[in-house]
Amino acid sequence: MTLVQGAACLILWESGRFDTLDIARALNVSEADVCRVLDAAKGRQRGPQFMVIEGSLA
């Protein structure tokens, strides 16, 4: 998937009018690639994840 296809994927998804299969067909890419781009965008919106680990190793 090119950068332009990735951007188009996000724009089409955010319009709310297309599902992942429609987007994949329109951009001539696999549906799995569309899902990966959308998942990455959602992860970016959530921001970094921090984990607090309590306890000791003793």
Side-chain angles (χ1 to χ4, degrees):
M1 179 179 290
T2 66
L3 182 62
V4 173
Q5 287 171 320
C9 173
L10 293 174
I11 291 168
L12 291 172
W13 179 258
E14 289 175 1
S15 76
R17 302 174 112 187
F18 304 96
D19 63 11
T20 55
L21 183 58
D22 292 335
I23 295 169
R25 287 179 177 167
L27 299 177
N28 197 27
V29 297
S30 72
E31 187 177 13
D33 286 342
V34 171
C35 291
R36 280 191 281 273
V37 167
L38 296 176
D39 186 51
K42 288 176 187 174
R44 177 83 172 142
Q45 287 176 343
R46 285 190 293 263
Q49 294 180 356
F50 297 100
M51 299 177 131
V52 176
I53 301 172
E54 295 181 16
S56 65
L57 297 175

